[in-house]
Amino acid sequence: MPRFQVACTLVLAGALALSGCKFVKTEDEQKQAAASAFNPDKLVADIWDSKVVPFLEARAGTFQEVSALATSNLDAAAEKYGHKEKQGNAPWTFAAKIDGVIVAEETKSRAGSVDVDVDGDQKADVRVAIGPAIRGTAIRDSLKFVNFNEFKNQIEWAQYGKSFNTHVNGLLLEKLSREGLTGKTIKALGAYPLPAKGQLPLFVPVMIMVGG
């Protein structure tokens, strides 16, 4: 067999052998891949006590103060209490504190909520989400220290927002009683997006106390 033909035969055999191989990641490579994988639940848990709650405590005004200023001077309210991502058409989201009385409750839906009177007129001023399902991404959207550009794409950004809701439900809301809430007092710290005209603001708490 000519020398050239022998060489070609060896190269072809080697290529065929490699094509049948399966490259397996080493244990270190697997650990590194797992560590770098996107984990929104862990990202939220890691900053909850150290950054999220302290930021909202420092940023929030009473609901009456925030809503009144948002009505009379939206720019001033946004500067003092609000945050909005530059991308898209999201509404301003405001940090606030609620101190009032529950005047209505919705506990049959998974997106449970209570309506709260904060000014003593026995009419609802704000709706507080109590889960287990929470609509929107108010907590994420109220935080100045997180932004869309830190994430790979819109899907990761959405998952991150959902993880705030999952975290607060597991930490606080699933422990709340669902019985006889109307008439009880409620105090809460959290955030809400600017509502459409005529609608109650939907407030998502990061701290909450019902009935003393």
Side-chain angles (χ1 to χ4, degrees):
M1 184 182 292
R3 183 178 302 171
F4 176 75
Q5 187 175 354
V6 172
C8 288
T9 301
L10 291 173
V11 170
L12 179 60
L16 289 173
L18 284 173
S19 67
C21 292
K22 182 178 180 181
F23 292 95
V24 179
K25 289 183 178 180
T26 66
E27 186 176 348
D28 287 344
E29 287 174 327
Q30 290 175 338
K31 288 180 179 178
Q32 186 175 1
S36 61
F38 179 63
N39 186 340
D41 292 341
K42 185 177 186 305
L43 291 176
V44 170
D46 286 348
I47 63 170
W48 187 263
D49 291 329
S50 61
K51 298 184 74 173
V52 175
V53 174
F55 174 82
L56 290 174
E57 284 182 318
R59 184 80 169 161
T62 67
F63 178 79
Q64 295 94 314
E65 292 170 341
V66 178
S67 60
L69 188 57
T71 299
S72 63
N73 189 334
L74 181 58
D75 289 340
E79 177 67 25
K80 191 172 184 179
Y81 307 113
H83 178 62
K84 179 170 69 170
E85 276 297 304
K86 294 179 181 178
Q87 291 82 4
N89 298 313
W92 285 102
T93 302
F94 298 101
K97 298 174 183 177
I98 286 174
D99 187 351
V101 177
I102 297 171
V103 294
E105 60 191 88
E106 170 53 78
T107 56
K108 293 180 180 179
S109 167
R110 279 188 52 78
S113 63
V114 292
D115 292 353
V116 180
D117 167 27
V118 298
D119 58 13
D121 65 357
Q122 298 182 350
K123 296 179 181 179
D125 300 298
V126 59
R127 180 163 291 159
V128 179
I130 59 171
I134 298 173
R135 296 189 177 100
T137 53
I139 300 176
R140 181 201 68 187
D141 296 343
S142 68
L143 305 175
K144 280 191 169 185
F145 54 84
V146 300
N147 64 76
F148 176 80
N149 292 328
E150 296 173 347
F151 296 83
K152 186 184 299 183
N153 50 43
Q154 184 67 44
I155 294 174
E156 285 193 357
W157 180 240
Q159 290 174 337
Y160 187 56
K162 183 179 178 181
S163 287
F164 282 98
N165 297 344
T166 301
H167 186 82
V168 76
N169 184 66
L171 184 68
L172 299 175
L173 301 182
E174 68 180 14
K175 299 177 176 65
L176 288 179
S177 170
R178 294 296 196 269
E179 300 295 329
L181 294 174
T182 300
K184 291 185 176 180
T185 59
I186 180 172
K187 293 184 179 183
L189 167 71
Y192 70 95
L194 189 69
K197 188 175 181 180
Q199 293 186 349
L200 285 178
L202 181 59
F203 182 95
V204 181
V206 299
M207 296 175 65
I208 188 169
M209 182 171 64
V210 175

